[in-house]
Amino acid sequence: MLVLSIWITTAYATQYSHDPGTGLETWQVEADGIQVRLTQIGSEQAQAFYQARGFSVDNAKYYASSCVFMTVVRNIGDATIEHRLSDWRYVPDGGRPRSIRSKREWGKIWIQRKVPESARIAFTWAQFPNTQSFSPSDWNQGMTTYQLPPGARFNLIFKWREDGKLRRGEIDNVRCTDESH
Amino acid sequence: MKAIKLVAILFAALSLTAAAGDLPALSHGLTAHAAKKPAPPLKLKGIDGQVHDIAALRGKVILVNFWATWCPPCRREMPSMEHLARKLRGENFAVLAVDVGENVDTIETFISQLELDLTFPILLDTSSKAMQAWKVSGLPTTFVIDRKGHIAYSAIGGREFDHPEIEQKLRDLLKN
């Protein structure tokens, strides 16, 4: 049973849910034809996922030391939408907007850290795509990472294009998990 | 107690379903492609050891699904693909499930956990080159190919493939 409540934001209502079974928290916003959802992934869970795909313990721990979220984007409107992750920003409490670390940046790190190619392929497809076009009813999910300490809070500014127009939404008061799960 | 926790973590790591909270609903919409673009080539070895070539299936309606075992919506939609394949058994219909970047052992472990046997081939795109040729940017992504070899529909994200609306679209293609 999920506990649902509504967080007030300036533009859109952020829906919040907490799963008592896993302890994981979810934030979701629906805005002008797009639904964006972030669900916490615990560090032990992220670590085990990548170890099961060929990452060494050290490299899996390195990834899991980031604040990791399962990210879902769904087209809930009638027009095709497109996102570019490089347009998105996260704003830590009292901090400046930051870019989300891209798959390309992670890829460079994994090459330096000598992660095997098969593991890097699995990693690439497990991350949320850098850019993707969604027809009505299309959706996708993948991991996004935020270079923040456990328990830190941030707002996520997400942007997407519809009919050539750039649109903007925001998920407020998202919290990095401080539990390993 | 520690062992129980470890098993729980490993299970979650394999599926990441626990991380999805209340899971996003599978949809049943397909995006129509009016442009009649030919499907790219697809010729890969399957987990059965045989080489499967989409060119050999010309004349059939083909559902091509790119997936991986670690991808939660891929795992969730797989039984519905099998249900669809069984509903359309005897028709000019084929399913090709293309696994991206995994080995046979990993795939067979997943298949053995399903409650029903898969009757369609699973192809191995170990280098993800087929996925790139088909311009797939996320998993799962599915294409429906018409009897003339054109891309008729596509779908990004998990679907209920045995939904009546999808079945009807495929039956309409089978008539043409």
Side-chain angles (χ1 to χ4, degrees):
Chain A
M1 177 66 80
L2 295 171
V3 182
L4 289 170
S5 63
I6 303 291
W7 292 55
I8 304 301
T9 69
T10 50
Y12 305 101
T14 299
Q15 286 183 301
Y16 167 79
S17 61
H18 171 250
D19 186 338
T22 62
L24 298 172
E25 297 170 274
T26 294
W27 291 261
Q28 178 177 298
V29 157
E30 293 186 356
D32 297 335
I34 193 172
Q35 181 190 75
V36 180
R37 173 194 292 214
L38 296 179
T39 298
Q40 295 171 335
I41 296 179
S43 60
E44 282 186 12
Q45 192 179 17
Q47 186 184 330
F49 179 83
Y50 287 105
Q51 278 182 243
R53 275 149 195 89
F55 277 65
S56 66
V57 174
D58 278 353
N59 285 328
K61 269 188 183 171
Y62 182 83
Y63 180 82
S65 66
S66 295
C67 170
V68 185
F69 282 86
M70 179 58 73
T71 306
V72 180
V73 169
R74 181 185 292 268
N75 184 342
I76 55 172
D78 300 322
T80 298
I81 60 173
E82 187 174 3
H83 84 279
R84 282 193 316 178
L85 212 54
S86 58
D87 291 336
W88 293 23
R89 295 288 183 273
Y90 64 102
V91 188
D93 257 358
R96 300 173 66 146
R98 300 183 194 177
S99 301
I100 293 172
R101 184 175 284 173
S102 67
K103 288 199 275 192
R104 190 188 179 113
E105 289 172 276
W106 275 117
K108 286 180 188 168
I109 292 169
W110 298 141
I111 288 170
Q112 284 169 359
R113 296 177 72 98
K114 301 191 185 334
V115 173
E117 187 186 11
S118 59
R120 283 188 274 126
I121 289 173
F123 177 86
T124 295
W125 298 117
Q127 307 308 299
F128 195 75
N130 288 335
T131 183
Q132 192 161 21
S133 179
F134 295 88
S135 296
S137 82
D138 280 348
W139 65 287
N140 200 358
Q141 69 177 57
M143 297 182 202
T144 51
T145 53
Y146 306 82
Q147 274 52 61
L148 293 171
R153 289 191 179 271
F154 64 94
N155 294 345
L156 176 69
I157 298 164
F158 57 91
K159 294 182 181 177
W160 73 102
R161 285 185 184 276
E162 183 186 325
D163 293 332
K165 291 177 190 163
L166 189 63
R167 296 175 182 272
R168 177 189 188 277
E170 187 165 331
I171 304 182
D172 285 345
N173 211 22
V174 180
R175 194 178 73 86
C176 299
T177 183
D178 51 8
E179 296 177 31
S180 54
H181 302 295
Chain B
M1 193 63 179
K2 195 171 179 181
I4 292 170
K5 191 179 177 188
L6 183 63
V7 168
I9 289 167
L10 285 173
F11 178 78
L14 286 171
S15 65
L16 276 184
T17 50
D22 53 334
L23 293 166
L26 298 179
S27 52
H28 53 265
L30 295 178
T31 302
H33 289 240
K36 299 289 179 194
K37 199 174 162 188
L42 184 67
K43 188 176 180 182
L44 293 168
K45 197 172 175 183
I47 60 170
D48 56 2
Q50 306 293 312
V51 173
H52 298 266
D53 187 351
I54 197 169
L57 300 172
R58 179 64 71 92
K60 290 177 185 273
V61 171
I62 309 158
L63 189 142
V64 180
N65 175 256
F66 288 88
W67 72 290
T69 64
W70 48 261
C71 152
C74 304
R75 298 165 69 95
R76 287 167 60 206
E77 70 179 1
M78 189 63 78
S80 76
M81 264 194 307
E82 177 57 30
H83 291 146
L84 177 68
R86 292 183 187 192
K87 279 181 175 182
L88 297 178
R89 185 177 289 162
E91 307 278 354
N92 270 326
F93 177 69
V95 174
L96 297 174
V98 183
D99 177 276
V100 180
E102 297 182 296
N103 59 35
V104 175
D105 286 347
T106 304
I107 297 165
E108 286 186 338
T109 301
F110 164 67
I111 290 171
S112 68
Q113 295 165 351
L114 293 174
E115 289 179 359
L116 69 180
D117 293 332
L118 299 182
T119 55
F120 48 80
I122 294 182
L123 282 54
L124 298 161
D125 185 19
T126 47
S127 63
S128 76
K129 283 183 179 156
M131 189 172 170
Q132 288 165 36
W134 283 66
K135 296 186 171 28
V136 172
S137 55
L139 299 177
T141 294
T142 304
F143 299 91
V144 177
I145 314 303
D146 68 18
R147 298 177 68 181
K148 292 177 181 167
H150 299 128
I151 296 175
Y153 295 104
S154 64
I156 296 169
R159 293 295 190 276
E160 286 177 77
F161 285 107
D162 52 353
H163 191 282
E165 284 183 24
I166 291 182
E167 185 185 342
Q168 189 55 53
K169 282 188 169 80
L170 296 179
R171 288 194 182 279
D172 290 345
L173 281 180
L174 285 163
K175 286 179 197 160
N176 296 326

